[in-house]
Amino acid sequence: MAGERKHYISYEGMIAKLMSGFTEKFVRNRVVRVSLATALLAVSAWAFSPYVSSRVGSSAFVNAELMRVTSPFGGRLTQDLPRRGEFIAQARTVKLVEALAPDQRHLFDLRQQQAVAKERAELARTQLAEVKGSDHELRTRFDAYQTGIVQRISGEIEEAIAENKGCLAEAEQRRDIGSRMEQLTKLGTASVIRSVEALALRDAVVTRCEVTQARLKRLKVELEGAQHGIFLRDGANDVPYSQQQRDRLMLRRQELETELLNETSKAQQFSNALTEETERLVRSNHFELTLPTDNVVWTTGASPGSTVIEGQFIMDLADCQHRFVAVELPERVFEQVKAGDRASVRLVGSDTWIYGHVRQERGSAARVDDRLLAAQVPKPSSGSITVDVELPAEAWSEDRNGNFCDIGRLAEVRFPRQGISMPSFVRQLFTPSHAASAAINVSR
């Protein structure tokens, strides 16, 4: 046994010597050492090349603008209130706030004014009907009066015609008697006085006939006027009392028609206003909001069922379609980075590179950004600028519901350099870099 153990130990020693010699020869081999040095240099160049060919942001994180939703009136939050972190894949309308005691004073006032306008319109309509009835009665009286006057004048004309006819016959008889009396006087059988009396009677009859003819003409004129509604007798008025009353009623009817039109128009206006006010109250009894597509509920200000007042904060929506990366760069590159330049973005923890474009840049002395943002943008330190790189809408992870659209995640941003020459490459190679890919996570 002892011999076998001694032989085993000598065998292990021989193997160890062989391995030691092989390792020493392998390490001392020039090809191996040159290959190892070349590999180290290649790895170093590969690791340092991004800082030479690109400008790397020293502080970068994903950010997005917020849309703040506040309550337009006092009420209670409904159970449809979205929860924090919920991603809105499709636009939908939700009821957020229900009014507890809506103000209906204006509605009651409109109803009262509409009722008053309707009552006035109905009163004007009733008065107008009464005026029309009175006008009809006066019209009947006027027609009867006109008919009576026309018949009376017509009778008087007939009497005047008959009287004129008898007068003409009598005048013809007196003319014959006067002629005979003149002949008898010439023959000496009648006295001159009797002849003169006969002539005088003849002239009187002729005069009476002329008066009758004049009265007949006057009656014809009165008849024509009466047929046209103008009466030339019974006083100085041209129309009777019934027609004068009809004229007054016509003026009153015009006033009532105007009043009826105005009140009807007011009632219609109040009806339209009531419809609009009712719809407004229906809308104001609950506040509905259309949640936009591709947004995420960033924060909520209260829980469902809570009471809110007018203007109270309800929730913030982060726009996932318009995200951007806020990058901090040295101020000496302000002129070298322009709006619209392309930039490569990689979220920390991901191997995927996203290509965006520079949207804007601000110097260190600029005022603090007053936009409502999901992640707080720190004020640039002295000697640095802030660059916003807009990301494409489709550049987010698949799991959007629960990760807040990657807002607040750290990122590495590279801006490609333009026109790098060999001297500048060597200078960049041996100059200490001021860039780093670390950033401060300011996610909420």
Side-chain angles (χ1 to χ4, degrees):
M1 292 295 292
E4 292 180 358
R5 183 176 181 182
K6 183 177 181 181
H7 178 72
Y8 179 74
I9 293 174
S10 63
Y11 181 74
E12 286 184 351
M14 183 179 63
I15 293 176
K17 289 181 179 181
L18 290 176
M19 290 298 296
S20 176
F22 177 77
T23 303
E24 184 178 358
K25 288 181 179 181
F26 181 80
V27 172
R28 292 180 177 275
N29 193 324
R30 181 177 181 183
V31 177
V32 174
R33 288 183 294 174
V34 171
S35 300
L36 180 61
T38 303
L40 292 176
L41 289 175
V43 171
S44 301
W46 173 79
F48 194 70
S49 61
Y51 297 94
V52 177
S53 61
S54 303
R55 297 181 180 88
V56 181
S58 60
S59 176
F61 52 89
V62 181
N63 208 341
E65 295 185 0
L66 297 178
M67 181 181 71
R68 177 152 295 177
V69 181
T70 59
S71 176
F73 52 84
R76 179 181 290 110
L77 294 179
T78 65
Q79 297 298 325
D80 297 336
L81 179 68
R83 268 52 176 183
R84 182 173 181 268
E86 179 179 349
F87 180 77
I88 305 168
Q90 297 293 335
R92 69 178 190 271
T93 301
V94 296
K95 182 164 52 175
L96 295 181
V97 184
E98 292 180 345
L100 297 178
D103 187 4
Q104 299 184 354
R105 290 176 296 179
H106 186 52
L107 180 64
F108 294 151
D109 185 40
L110 289 176
R111 287 178 179 173
Q112 182 179 3
Q113 294 182 17
Q114 184 190 28
V116 172
K118 287 183 176 180
E119 291 179 359
R120 289 181 177 177
E122 188 63 28
L123 178 61
R125 190 177 289 108
T126 303
Q127 293 178 350
L128 188 60
E130 294 176 355
V131 167
K132 289 182 178 179
S134 300
D135 181 74
H136 180 70
E137 294 178 1
L138 292 174
R139 176 66 183 178
T140 303
R141 289 172 55 183
F142 174 77
D143 292 340
Y145 179 80
Q146 184 181 23
T147 302
I149 291 296
V150 169
Q151 291 177 355
R152 190 178 75 174
I153 294 177
S154 299
E156 291 179 357
I157 289 176
E158 292 177 357
E159 293 175 359
I161 291 175
E163 185 179 356
N164 185 44
K165 186 182 295 185
C167 182
L168 291 176
E170 184 180 359
E172 186 65 26
Q173 182 183 6
R174 291 297 180 182
R175 190 178 294 109
D176 292 342
I177 294 175
S179 298
R180 291 178 183 179
M181 289 299 295
E182 287 180 354
Q183 293 178 358
L184 291 175
T185 301
K186 290 179 180 179
L187 295 176
T189 58
S191 64
V192 178
I193 296 174
R194 295 295 300 272
S195 175
V196 172
E197 290 178 352
L199 292 175
L201 289 174
R202 185 191 65 182
D203 293 338
V205 172
V206 171
T207 302
R208 190 171 70 249
C209 289
E210 292 177 353
V211 172
T212 303
Q213 291 178 356
R215 185 161 62 89
L216 180 61
K217 292 180 180 180
R218 177 176 59 80
L219 290 175
K220 289 182 179 180
V221 173
E222 290 181 357
L223 177 61
E224 184 179 359
Q227 290 175 345
H228 290 83
I230 300 175
F231 305 96
L232 303 177
R233 57 170 59 183
D234 297 337
N237 295 325
D238 57 347
V239 293
Y241 174 78
S242 58
Q243 183 60 36
Q244 296 177 15
Q245 290 298 107
R246 287 192 66 200
D247 294 340
R248 296 190 184 96
L249 289 178
M250 181 186 67
L251 297 177
R252 178 57 180 165
R253 182 175 58 192
Q254 292 176 351
E255 294 176 357
L256 290 174
E257 288 176 348
T258 303
E259 183 178 357
L260 177 61
L261 180 61
N262 292 335
E263 296 301 330
T264 304
S265 177
K266 288 182 180 179
Q268 183 62 36
Q269 292 177 359
F270 288 132
S271 177
N272 296 336
L274 270 174
T275 303
E276 294 178 359
E277 181 65 15
T278 303
E279 294 177 355
R280 188 192 68 82
L281 284 177
V282 171
R283 293 192 303 268
S284 63
N285 284 339
H286 58 272
F287 170 50
E288 292 184 349
L289 176 67
T290 300
L291 300 177
T293 309
D294 296 333
N295 275 248
V296 65
V297 181
W298 187 253
T299 55
T300 55
S303 302
S306 303
T307 302
V308 294
I309 62 175
E310 181 178 357
Q312 183 175 341
F313 164 70
I314 297 179
M315 64 179 177
D316 283 333
L317 297 176
D319 189 1
C320 295
Q321 282 191 328
H322 299 88
R323 298 175 306 157
F324 64 94
V325 175
V327 191
E328 186 175 345
L329 294 176
E331 195 161 6
R332 64 174 178 273
V333 302
F334 190 91
E335 293 293 334
Q336 300 172 8
V337 178
K338 302 294 183 182
D341 289 351
R342 189 177 182 183
S344 302
V345 181
R346 182 183 66 84
L347 302 182
V348 175
S350 174
D351 296 331
T352 304
W353 285 92
I354 304 171
Y355 297 100
H357 293 83
V358 176
R359 184 167 64 181
Q360 64 180 7
E361 54 184 337
R362 297 183 305 277
S364 59
R367 298 181 59 182
V368 179
D369 197 346
D370 294 330
R371 293 176 297 173
L372 191 60
L373 301 175
Q376 184 179 0
V377 178
K379 180 177 176 58
S381 60
S382 178
S384 63
I385 62 174
T386 301
V387 180
D388 292 347
V389 178
E390 185 174 2
L391 298 179
E394 64 277 3
W396 52 40
S397 61
E398 296 296 333
D399 184 18
R400 293 171 288 186
N401 190 7
N403 67 353
F404 292 91
C405 297
D406 295 328
I407 297 174
R409 287 187 61 179
L410 301 177
E412 179 182 351
V413 183
R414 297 178 182 179
F415 300 89
R417 300 177 186 270
Q418 302 295 333
I420 298 180
S421 60
M422 184 58 66
S424 62
F425 176 80
V426 174
R427 186 167 54 252
Q428 291 288 342
L429 185 62
F430 292 99
T431 301
S433 176
H434 295 279
S437 60
I440 301 174
N441 188 354
V442 291
S443 175
R444 296 179 68 99

